[in-house]
Amino acid sequence: MSELGKLEKDCMLCRSCELCKTRKNVVFGEGKKDAEVLFVGEGPGSSEDEIGLPFVGRAGKLLDTMLELIDLDRSKIYITNMVKCRPPENRDPLPAEKDLCNIWLAEQIRIINPKIIVCLGRIAAMRFLGKDFKISRDHGKFYEQDGVLITALYHPAALLRDPRRRPETFSDLKALKAEILRVCNSTYKEVN
Ligand code: URA
């Protein structure tokens, strides 16, 4: 079994916080095991909790469309969340839940070893880029941390709520594609 597969197996048994009591499924993540581009959302919603995969509800459908705009799909990238279990009633994950769950995300990042991390929304962006990160001001900017490029897009759920932000996100996606072409070797290579 791959190192990521072993980590997933352990994560499925996690009972470190209260979210394990209300979850239906652990949503570990999905995609290419050695992806050069890693997308990180906030936490599973009800559809993800039902199915056990990230971004499969309405926001997930929009994420798929966003990926398609820059010729990406889930087989070329890896998608996960900061917390792996659904917070009840769609509340924000608590700081302690995020801290406890970070061991899984940190290990995913170590094993996958991406060249670019794309934070989906403010909550994930603040985790990587600090408390002063403002999504309305800082989306689409690229930051380097230990040789990894980090950027943030508006969360697809925010784009569903406020479609006026979509043109900015389209520009951010085009900038993301340019960075992928610049720093990644295999993401856009067809596997025949
Ligand atoms: N929102 C997220 O942040 N993650 C998901 O997996 C689904 C919706």
Side-chain angles (χ1 to χ4, degrees):
M1 190 188 278
S2 68
E3 201 180 0
L4 197 60
K6 281 195 208 112
L7 186 72
E8 179 166 4
K9 219 169 146 224
D10 291 344
C11 183
M12 294 297 157
L13 304 172
C14 182
R15 303 196 67 79
S16 300
C17 80
E18 296 283 302
L19 296 183
C20 70
K21 295 186 181 155
T22 46
R23 74 179 177 220
K24 287 191 181 145
N25 282 293
V26 176
V27 181
F28 180 72
E30 178 192 31
K32 192 168 180 237
K33 290 189 169 29
D34 58 352
E36 293 173 309
V37 190
L38 172 69
F39 282 70
V40 182
E42 184 180 331
S46 63
S47 312
E48 292 75 22
D49 183 48
E50 278 302 325
I51 295 176
L53 292 171
F55 284 96
V56 290
R58 275 184 77 217
K61 300 271 170 301
L62 181 55
L63 179 61
D64 286 335
T65 306
M66 290 160 65
L67 295 173
E68 257 173 51
L69 288 172
I70 52 168
D71 307 311
L72 288 180
D73 60 53
R74 289 178 190 236
S75 69
K76 297 189 172 100
I77 60 170
Y78 196 89
I79 306 177
T80 189
N81 282 302
M82 282 170 49
V83 298
K84 311 303 189 206
C85 298
R86 181 191 181 208
E89 274 103 51
N90 293 334
R91 66 160 169 79
D92 287 346
L94 302 174
E97 291 160 356
K98 288 187 276 192
D99 286 345
L100 288 164
C101 213
N102 194 51
I103 56 159
W104 304 114
L105 180 59
E107 277 297 277
Q108 285 174 309
I109 294 171
R110 183 186 68 74
I111 296 167
I112 297 168
N113 194 21
K115 294 198 167 77
I116 301 180
I117 295 176
V118 182
C119 305
L120 292 168
R122 181 179 68 91
I123 306 274
M126 283 167 70
R127 187 76 187 178
F128 285 92
L129 297 166
K131 282 204 272 308
D132 293 335
F133 186 91
K134 269 197 81 179
I135 192 79
S136 55
R137 181 188 63 201
D138 300 325
H139 67 87
K141 294 181 187 168
F142 283 83
Y143 302 82
E144 213 214 287
Q145 267 178 25
D146 305 322
V148 180
L149 282 178
I150 306 190
T151 190
L153 301 175
Y154 279 115
H155 194 288
L159 296 172
L160 286 172
R161 281 194 300 271
D162 186 358
R164 286 171 305 176
R165 290 168 174 168
R166 290 188 189 192
E168 294 168 76
T169 302
F170 187 49
S171 305
D172 294 347
L173 285 165
K174 283 192 289 187
L176 173 60
K177 180 169 185 178
E179 283 304 295
I180 296 174
L181 287 167
R182 191 174 71 80
V183 303
C184 298
N185 306 316
S186 64
T187 304
Y188 281 115
K189 295 244 161 64
E190 289 301 328
V191 187
N192 292 310

